[in-house]
Amino acid sequence: MLKLKSQSSWIYTCFFLLVLISLYFHQDSIRELPNYIHGRAQSDRFALALNYFHNGFDLFKSETYLFNVEFPNNFKVPKENTIVSVDLPIHEYIIAIIMKLIGSKSPFVFRLYMFIYSLIGIWFLLQIGKILKLNRGMLLVVPFIVISSPVFIYYQDNFLPSITSFSNTIIGVFFYLKYIQSKRKRHYAIGLLFLMLAAISRTIYVIPMLTIIGAECLFEIINWYQKRGLMQIKNVVYLSLISIIFLLPILLQYLYNNNYMRYEYGSVFLYYLVPANNLEELLIIIQKSVSRWIFDYLTPFQYGFIFIVFVQILLICRKEKVKWDKISSKLLFITLVSLLGYLLFFIAMATKFPFHDYYFLDTFFIPLLIGLYLFTYLVKVNSKKYSPLIGVALIVFFIPSLIFANANFKDRRKNKSWDYIPETIENFRGVDKIMEELKISTNSKFLVVGPYAPNLPLLMMDRKGYAVMHKSKEDMLNALEWNADYVVLQNNLYLDNFYTHFPDFISYLEKIYDNGRITIAKKRWMPKETSLEEFFNIQKGDLKERIVLDFDTPQSGKWKNLTKQNDSTLSNSSFGLISKKKKFGLSYKTSDIHFLRSTKTKLEVEAELLFKERPRVSKMVVAVKNSEKNIFYKSFDLNSILDSANNNNWQNIKVDMSLPKIQDNSSEFSFYFWNLNEEFYVDNIEISFYSEK
């Protein structure tokens, strides 16, 4: 009894330590709107919770703020409602109820719920160690692996459902092990209940549930075959019935979603398989996933620790006959069968793995942790002399692992030049007061042009609407016909990403508000010609620098990959050739960018281009980078800027963008054409830098 109390005190102490570590990590992030990596998916989940306020808390008719959803029509076809197909969002529903009760729609409520749920999962990880009767050091192996995993830390207070389903799975595994220990059937039923809750809100978590059901049924059938008793038959029947009872809601939801909701309403969530086309592509995907996320899944120190544990197990197997009992046998079965299930899922969803780090939490993390429990349990049962070694290794590896994970977490929450979500949040901050000032009804519908996370600006305005996600003239004109009362532009993002594709779009707008960050307008029935400078009240500052290339005068040595051409059938003057043999064509690079260090800069690029055939993938790129990373990066698809009906003729292009203030003295500015097996011609390039007023 004294030993049991001592172990309980140790567990409480360790849990308190793990809570403090988690609080340290999330002291700032827990109040933030959906942001950074997968901010788009996060905003979709937040929108689900907020829209229960609009649909009368109907759990089975979940809504976001969007009338035009991604699947199946890629945002191109609007609907009459904002209902979407989604795995049952039970947690978003509970969060909405909590928000209603406390009178707050703050993202803090959502994040705090997820954070607490993650801690519940960590508590049950410690309890699993207690059930397995691991000593103090071994008991901490799996919780420490989880709490210092960079990907777990990032999603611990996030909006995605991976954490809640992960925690429910851990709770389910705990009650299953308790059932093995006690043979009380209610523990098995409680375990299946939590495994069902995990799977019903994120379908992939049905794999550990099916694995545990399969393990228990298989072992009971073997037991019945060996003993041939009435009690064994009753056990098999009971296990089969209780398993069917808890699997039935998942099956019904899946059929409801697939046979009705997805066809009727579409979705903003991916719901179909996306495997690789062949083995070669699959190997490339594996290489990309590993190179991109390997040290986001786990830290280098965690990999080292797991390797040490694995080596010790091999030494035990080599020197001694391993003692297998019922617990270790079932843990081995669950580890191997669930791993096989997740490998099949990986093959089915392969093309998405390089872009979704949280897939690791949904898949291979579970068998990894159960496998670690198996290893530590085998060490405890078979060779106690190795236990202190693992405890020492845990201490040695855990502290640097936390330091690495903390640096990773901070880097994930930095503004990246290619990530527009932080800028969108700043652009729409305080937009609720703007809505009040303009007396815009909460029932008004908005057409938001070019939001990377389409639900994000709408949820910040708390108004439903449409998102223009495509840049072609046809798509933008089509969007103007949708049933929106107002159009909203993010000034800089619109100028940098959309204006050049269809300059006349603003002629269809009557501006009613502009604060320099966002512009709100009504649609015109008939277009009215207006200039870019007039519409956005753009006033250029002083010219800081101008770089010119015309092929008729001597060029700066900073221009590279110059291929001068003279062909009177194409031009009366010299021009440049962008050869299909060179992936990186004509380029200009310079480190002499002192004029970018004093203030923000407006950059204008003008050029004349001639394609004999419609461009497919060629891009014009502007970048500022230091020795480590891009500070600014912007690419322009030439196929969307140029008029395809005007091939074989010189076309003038002009793009504008805002460059940030550059504080790094080692930075380099570059301008180049990125080309993939296409040939075209270029002339009269002007790159102009103006101070930003």
Side-chain angles (χ1 to χ4, degrees):
M1 179 65 73
L2 186 62
K3 185 177 179 181
L4 188 61
K5 286 184 177 179
S6 175
Q7 189 185 39
S8 296
S9 299
W10 174 247
I11 288 174
Y12 280 113
T13 302
C14 293
F15 181 66
F16 181 71
L17 174 63
L18 296 174
V19 170
L20 288 180
I21 292 170
S22 297
L23 287 171
Y24 171 78
F25 278 123
H26 299 289
Q27 56 186 312
D28 296 322
S29 64
I30 202 163
R31 294 175 178 82
E32 292 176 341
L33 282 160
N35 207 343
Y36 309 113
I37 298 175
H38 296 302
R40 176 167 162 179
Q42 294 178 54
S43 64
D44 293 339
R45 304 304 303 199
F46 192 25
L48 288 173
L50 295 177
N51 272 278
Y52 283 119
F53 285 82
H54 297 292
N55 78 347
F57 287 86
D58 186 343
L59 176 61
F60 299 100
K61 290 289 178 69
S62 305
E63 298 185 43
T64 67
Y65 286 91
L66 278 174
F67 286 98
N68 60 317
V69 294
E70 183 173 6
F71 305 105
N73 297 308
N74 198 18
F75 298 106
K76 292 188 176 184
V77 179
K79 307 182 298 162
E80 294 182 358
N81 56 61
T82 58
I83 299 172
V84 292
S85 166
V86 60
D87 289 340
L88 194 67
I90 183 68
H91 299 285
E92 287 83 354
Y93 189 77
I94 295 171
I95 290 166
I97 292 174
I98 295 171
M99 288 178 170
K100 182 75 171 178
L101 291 174
I102 66 175
S104 171
K105 295 182 180 180
S106 168
F108 172 73
V109 179
F110 201 124
R111 286 187 180 270
L112 182 62
Y113 176 92
M114 303 299 282
F115 181 74
I116 293 173
Y117 222 105
S118 75
L119 295 178
I120 293 171
I122 290 169
W123 170 256
F124 277 94
L125 287 173
L126 291 166
Q127 294 301 314
I128 289 174
K130 182 179 178 181
I131 280 186
L132 298 177
K133 298 179 181 178
L134 303 178
N135 65 29
R136 291 187 173 189
M138 305 283 272
L139 183 142
L140 289 175
V141 168
V142 172
F144 276 5
I145 289 288
V146 171
I147 204 68
S148 57
S149 162
V151 71
F152 178 86
I153 291 169
Y154 181 72
Y155 292 103
Q156 189 176 6
D157 70 340
N158 208 272
F159 296 82
L160 301 188
S162 296
I163 287 296
T164 48
S165 289
F166 170 82
S167 293
N168 279 332
T169 299
I170 296 304
I171 298 170
V173 171
F174 164 78
F175 278 103
Y176 175 62
L177 291 174
K178 198 169 181 64
Y179 161 72
I180 296 174
Q181 184 188 63
S182 68
K183 277 302 175 183
R184 294 179 180 174
K185 292 183 174 62
R186 74 168 186 271
H187 290 147
Y188 182 73
I190 295 171
L192 286 190
L193 172 64
F194 280 97
L195 291 168
M196 181 204 73
L197 290 174
I200 206 166
S201 60
R202 190 148 179 80
T203 304
I204 183 58
Y205 282 88
V206 76
I207 289 178
M209 183 180 186
L210 291 175
T211 304
I212 286 175
I213 289 173
E216 197 54 32
C217 289
L218 177 63
F219 278 83
E220 282 297 331
I221 289 171
I222 292 172
N223 189 36
W224 168 75
Y225 181 77
Q226 290 174 341
K227 296 183 179 179
R228 304 276 183 169
L230 181 61
M231 183 60 68
Q232 283 70 41
I233 295 176
K234 287 182 178 180
N235 283 341
V236 171
V237 172
Y238 171 81
L239 291 171
S240 300
L241 286 176
I242 199 71
S243 300
I244 291 172
I245 288 171
F246 283 106
L247 281 171
L248 192 60
I250 301 172
L251 177 62
L252 291 175
Q253 180 203 235
Y254 181 81
L255 293 174
Y256 178 67
N257 263 337
N258 276 279
N259 295 331
Y260 176 66
M261 292 292 289
R262 288 170 185 167
Y263 289 103
E264 186 73 17
Y265 301 111
S267 182
V268 292
F269 306 100
L270 181 66
Y271 56 78
Y272 50 82
L273 303 181
V274 281
N277 293 316
N278 49 55
L279 179 60
E280 181 182 2
E281 184 183 4
L282 181 62
L283 294 175
I284 293 172
I285 287 170
I286 293 172
Q287 185 272 327
K288 285 182 178 179
S289 301
V290 169
S291 63
R292 185 172 186 182
W293 301 119
I294 186 68
F295 293 127
D296 291 87
Y297 297 153
L298 300 171
T299 71
F301 307 100
Q302 289 176 316
Y303 287 113
F305 175 78
I306 292 169
F307 176 74
I308 289 174
V309 174
F310 182 69
V311 167
Q312 291 197 353
I313 289 295
L314 292 180
L315 290 174
I316 292 172
C317 294
R318 184 177 179 181
K319 293 182 179 181
E320 306 171 24
K321 183 178 180 181
V322 178
K323 299 174 185 177
W324 292 89
D325 58 15
K326 187 175 291 186
I327 288 179
S328 57
S329 299
K330 290 184 178 181
L331 286 176
L332 179 63
F333 181 92
I334 294 169
T335 300
L336 295 179
V337 175
S338 62
L339 180 61
L340 176 61
Y342 288 127
L343 285 172
L344 293 175
F345 176 80
F346 171 76
I347 292 171
M349 301 295 293
T351 57
K352 292 299 179 181
F353 266 79
F355 309 104
H356 295 78
D357 55 342
Y358 59 87
Y359 276 17
F360 176 73
L361 291 177
D362 297 334
T363 56
F364 300 111
F365 205 34
I366 298 291
L368 171 65
L369 300 181
I370 295 175
L372 282 172
Y373 275 126
L374 171 64
F375 288 166
T376 52
Y377 183 75
L378 288 175
V379 169
K380 183 209 74 167
V381 171
N382 290 277
S383 186
K384 293 183 179 180
K385 67 182 180 181
Y386 287 106
S387 296
L389 295 176
I390 291 181
V392 171
L394 184 65
I395 296 171
V396 170
F397 283 94
F398 179 60
I399 294 175
S401 187
L402 276 179
I403 295 171
F404 184 96
N406 186 45
N408 179 284
F409 186 58
K410 287 181 178 178
D411 183 68
R412 280 170 165 257
R413 295 177 59 250
K414 286 181 180 177
N415 292 356
K416 305 296 193 300
S417 61
W418 57 87
D419 185 2
Y420 298 125
I421 292 179
E423 185 174 349
T424 296
I425 291 173
E426 289 306 312
N427 287 341
F428 283 89
R429 197 174 296 281
V431 73
D432 52 337
K433 295 179 181 178
I434 296 172
M435 297 292 109
E436 291 179 11
E437 178 186 328
L438 298 176
K439 294 182 171 55
I440 295 177
S441 166
T442 55
N443 295 321
S444 298
K445 299 174 185 176
F446 276 80
L447 178 68
V448 185
V449 179
Y452 179 75
N455 266 301
L456 183 57
L458 293 170
L459 70 84
M460 291 184 74
M461 292 188 289
D462 199 21
R463 270 104 175 142
K464 298 191 176 188
Y466 311 82
V468 182
M469 303 298 288
H470 302 280
K471 302 174 183 177
S472 72
K473 177 180 178 179
E474 179 184 359
D475 287 318
M476 294 180 75
L477 273 175
N478 184 46
L480 286 169
E481 298 179 4
W482 297 344
N483 187 30
D485 302 299
Y486 298 91
V487 179
V488 61
L489 312 174
Q490 299 178 73
N491 294 7
N492 285 339
L493 294 181
Y494 173 77
L495 292 172
D496 291 350
N497 295 279
F498 277 78
Y499 173 74
T500 55
H501 301 275
F502 180 32
D504 289 338
F505 182 80
I506 56 177
S507 66
Y508 291 86
L509 306 180
E510 181 182 353
K511 184 165 68 174
I512 63 172
Y513 179 84
D514 184 352
N515 63 3
R517 293 181 287 115
I518 62 171
T519 293
I520 299 174
K522 290 186 175 182
K523 294 185 290 185
R524 296 183 185 274
W525 290 107
M526 295 293 293
K528 178 182 178 182
E529 185 175 344
T530 183
S531 68
L532 178 69
E533 290 76 14
E534 178 185 358
F535 187 84
F536 286 106
N537 193 28
I538 295 175
Q539 297 179 10
K540 292 180 184 176
D542 298 330
L543 179 65
K544 295 182 174 185
E545 185 79 6
R546 176 168 286 155
I547 302 164
V548 177
L549 176 65
D550 63 10
F551 294 95
D552 291 315
T553 56
Q555 296 94 21
S556 166
K558 295 175 182 178
W559 287 100
K560 303 296 182 184
N561 298 329
L562 290 166
T563 305
K564 188 174 180 179
Q565 297 279 295
N566 289 285
D567 186 342
S568 59
T569 63
L570 297 177
S571 175
N572 294 325
S573 59
S574 300
F575 52 89
L577 167 68
I578 308 295
S579 172
K580 64 175 62 177
K581 297 179 181 179
K582 292 184 178 181
K583 185 175 181 179
F584 294 96
L586 178 68
S587 66
Y588 180 92
K589 293 184 179 181
T590 180
S591 298
D592 182 16
I593 53 173
H594 60 278
F595 49 86
L596 295 180
R597 298 191 179 109
S598 57
T599 182
K600 289 184 177 181
T601 303
K602 280 287 185 183
L603 175 64
E604 282 187 1
V605 178
E606 291 190 71
E608 294 181 19
L609 300 177
L610 187 150
F611 277 80
K612 290 188 175 181
E613 297 179 358
R614 178 183 174 87
R616 300 186 306 276
V617 294
S618 296
K619 301 176 185 293
M620 184 172 69
V621 180
V622 173
V624 180
K625 66 177 182 178
N626 57 25
S627 57
E628 297 179 355
K629 60 183 179 180
N630 284 323
I631 299 172
F632 176 87
Y633 179 90
K634 181 66 186 171
S635 66
F636 299 89
D637 295 321
L638 297 180
N639 64 348
S640 57
I641 296 177
L642 296 169
D643 183 0
S644 59
N646 204 18
N647 290 335
N648 282 309
N649 290 305
W650 288 97
Q651 297 187 50
N652 185 71
I653 63 169
K654 179 181 177 182
V655 296
D656 302 85
M657 67 205 79
S658 295
L659 298 181
K661 182 179 178 181
I662 308 300
Q663 297 176 330
D664 189 338
N665 293 329
S666 63
S667 299
E668 178 184 68
F669 171 85
S670 60
F671 167 87
Y672 60 90
F673 289 96
W674 184 86
N675 172 45
L676 190 62
N677 203 31
E678 293 183 322
E679 187 169 279
F680 57 98
Y681 306 97
V682 60
D683 199 5
N684 297 325
I685 299 174
E686 285 192 9
I687 306 172
S688 303
F689 301 86
Y690 296 91
S691 58
E692 191 174 85
K693 282 193 173 182

